[in-house]
Amino acid sequence: MSERSDQVEKLLGVLHRHSELVSEAFEGEVSGDTRQRSKAIEALFESGAFKPYDEDTYRLNPRLREFIADHLSSYHAYQSLRGVTGTMRQAQAQWRALYRLKERGSRRNFDTLLAALDESIAEISFAIQANLAMLYVLLGSQFGNVVGLAAKMAQNAYYAAQVAVFLRDMEAIRRFVDRVQDEAIAAGLPDVRILISRRLGSRLLGWTGQLKDAQAAITRRLFDARRMEARLKQLSNFSLWLDRNKTTKGWELEGANLEAVDVALWRPVRVKVRPQPDVADTDVVVADGLSRILAAMPAPKPEPKVKAPPVPQRRIDEDDDGVVAEEESLHERALRAFVAEASQPARGSMLLGSFKRSRPELDALDDGAWLMYAYLQLQGTGFVIDILDAPAGRGFVLNEPFSDIRVHRAQP
């Protein structure tokens, strides 16, 4: 393990040992009231976690406070977005130094500058993501770090200006990325081009879209607040007028255009509603209320006894053998006659053309219903059934039409 790793481990150990004091300093100032507390503050001050604020008073390191606030999504009122202009200028200077080293063919400090450029690009990416996270937390919580509609609207206006400035910074970052990509190809540094394209270039479009979404949400809230402010002002003026004119009887509307009067000025007519309990409701309160209502109701009167009518006696004739003959319907008789006709050897018959048309007593049967009924009944009875297609029409049809059905006995 290197010496730097040992120092980081010792620093984290100090923060862990005095975690209660660090959490207290996140809320405000701390001071050494006791000897043990003073030693802990001194250890945190030497490690850089605490900074002096006043006499014998210390506060948490702003960088450490910012890290904890990002983790807890806890932001102060009017906390500004993280700027990326300084870091971008730093990255530009590092890239120019790398470009000059490549032109001279020198490798001295090349790896150091490349690592520094990588760190600057990562810091720009982190700042953009942190700004987006803060904006969405504040918008989702309706600026819960302040109280009052006026304060919330003031923060909306503040962050609307902040987002507009940050969008300009995003445009500057895009130009920087495009220039570095072109110059890296010309200088023969594909690693730098891949680095800046993967870390920034491929993600700029999504970040810009999220920023514009946040800007649209803030603008919409400001517009709604302005409309609400105008309506509240009108309502307060009307309330003041009513308070000063308590004995007024209203306004005369004779001869006025009543259709143009706002609906809010009309007095609603009360509608008499009869309560209808929902007997299907399984709520305990409803069931108990219905039980009390039923218990208070008088018992129902017994229904009067109605003498049942005498059962009609069936007349029995001497020739009645007890068998009831069912009358055969028209289509059944027609199908029986058609089967007898089609069963003749070497002879076929048309269900519609040669059979139904020749029998006037079947005119009451619909042609389509007769064909469908006979076709279903004759299936599987040993007959050969041929469906005759109807002539094609001009319009589009969903089903396949047919004109008649030929039936003949199958050959042995």
Side-chain angles (χ1 to χ4, degrees):
M1 186 178 293
S2 62
E3 182 180 357
R4 179 174 296 183
S5 300
D6 292 338
Q7 293 176 357
V8 173
E9 186 177 358
K10 290 179 181 179
L11 173 62
L12 295 177
V14 171
L15 294 176
H16 176 67
R17 286 195 301 271
H18 307 294
S19 58
E20 295 183 0
L21 197 59
V22 172
S23 61
E24 182 182 348
F26 180 75
E27 301 295 337
E29 298 81 12
V30 294
S31 58
D33 300 335
T34 62
R35 184 176 180 182
Q36 183 178 2
R37 188 181 177 92
S38 299
K39 287 184 177 181
I41 292 176
E42 183 179 356
L44 291 170
F45 172 72
E46 291 178 355
S47 63
F50 277 6
K51 297 296 181 182
Y53 177 70
D54 203 348
E55 185 177 357
D56 196 24
T57 306
Y58 297 85
R59 299 193 70 175
L60 196 62
N61 191 317
R63 294 291 184 182
L64 184 57
R65 176 186 296 276
E66 187 177 6
F67 170 75
I68 299 175
D70 287 339
H71 176 71
L72 300 176
S73 297
S74 175
Y75 304 105
H76 294 297
Y78 295 96
Q79 182 172 339
S80 62
L81 301 181
R82 296 183 180 180
V84 295
T85 306
T87 310
M88 187 178 62
R89 291 174 181 171
Q90 174 180 296
Q92 289 174 350
Q94 292 164 351
W95 165 244
R96 285 193 297 268
L98 277 174
Y99 190 79
R100 287 193 298 267
L101 287 177
K102 182 63 178 178
E103 284 183 335
R104 293 196 301 263
S106 175
R107 297 292 302 179
R108 178 179 294 182
N109 297 326
F110 187 87
D111 295 336
T112 303
L113 285 174
L114 183 59
L117 179 61
D118 187 6
E119 187 68 25
S120 298
I121 293 174
E123 187 174 350
I124 292 174
S125 175
F126 174 75
I128 295 174
Q129 294 178 5
N131 288 339
L132 290 174
M134 184 177 71
L135 280 175
Y136 277 93
V137 167
L138 293 177
L139 290 175
S141 61
Q142 299 282 342
F143 295 100
N145 50 7
V146 294
V147 179
L149 180 61
K152 293 180 184 295
M153 289 302 105
Q155 282 215 77
N156 272 282
Y158 173 75
Y159 283 105
Q162 289 269 305
V163 170
V165 173
F166 198 72
L167 282 173
R168 291 195 293 270
D169 293 342
M170 294 288 288
E171 180 62 22
I173 294 173
R174 186 192 62 79
R175 293 194 299 267
F176 168 67
V177 170
D178 293 341
R179 187 177 70 254
V180 172
Q181 286 177 344
D182 296 339
E183 293 178 354
I185 294 175
L189 294 172
D191 295 340
V192 177
R193 183 182 184 277
I194 294 174
L195 172 66
I196 198 168
S197 298
R198 186 176 67 250
R199 297 286 180 84
L200 291 180
S202 61
R203 307 171 71 180
L204 278 176
L205 184 61
W207 287 336
T208 305
Q210 295 179 36
L211 273 175
K212 289 184 177 179
D213 291 342
Q215 186 181 37
I218 294 173
T219 304
R220 183 172 60 251
R221 289 186 181 178
L222 288 173
F223 177 72
D224 293 341
R226 282 193 291 267
R227 292 180 57 191
M228 185 185 300
E229 183 180 4
R231 296 183 64 183
L232 287 175
K233 186 176 181 180
Q234 293 177 359
L235 185 61
S236 61
N237 292 336
F238 184 66
S239 175
L240 178 62
W241 187 90
L242 290 178
D243 188 54
R244 292 178 177 178
N245 301 271
K246 297 181 180 180
T247 59
T248 184
K249 297 181 179 179
W251 301 273
E252 296 293 337
L253 297 178
E254 296 181 1
N257 186 11
L258 300 182
E259 295 180 356
V261 178
D262 197 325
V263 180
L265 297 178
W266 294 98
R267 177 175 295 179
V269 179
R270 180 177 296 180
V271 179
K272 293 183 179 180
V273 180
R274 181 182 179 185
Q276 298 289 339
D278 186 6
V279 296
D281 195 348
T282 58
D283 189 79
V284 179
V285 178
V286 177
D288 294 343
L290 291 177
S291 299
R292 290 194 301 269
I293 294 173
L294 290 175
M297 293 177 62
K301 296 181 180 180
E303 298 182 358
K305 296 183 178 180
V306 180
K307 187 177 181 180
V311 179
Q313 299 295 327
R314 182 172 176 269
R315 182 178 178 180
I316 301 176
D317 298 333
E318 294 180 357
D319 298 336
D320 191 0
D321 54 357
V323 179
V324 180
E326 296 183 359
E327 184 179 357
E328 198 172 27
S329 60
L330 176 61
H331 58 275
E332 293 176 342
R333 290 198 306 270
L335 182 62
R336 188 182 300 276
F338 177 79
V339 169
E341 180 179 325
S343 300
Q344 300 297 326
R347 183 180 178 184
S349 180
M350 306 287 290
L351 275 171
L352 194 61
S354 61
F355 181 76
K356 185 175 181 296
R357 299 282 190 246
S358 61
R359 285 169 170 76
E361 65 273 11
L362 301 180
D363 292 342
L365 287 177
D366 181 71
D367 293 345
W370 162 247
L371 288 176
M372 294 299 298
Y373 168 74
Y375 173 74
L376 295 175
Q377 296 297 323
L378 292 174
Q379 281 185 336
T381 57
F383 288 99
V384 178
I385 303 174
D386 298 329
I387 298 177
L388 305 181
D389 296 334
R394 295 182 180 179
F396 171 77
V397 292
L398 186 63
N399 300 320
E400 297 181 359
F402 59 93
S403 60
D404 206 344
I405 299 177
R406 180 188 293 112
V407 182
H408 57 85
R409 192 174 65 174
Q411 297 296 331

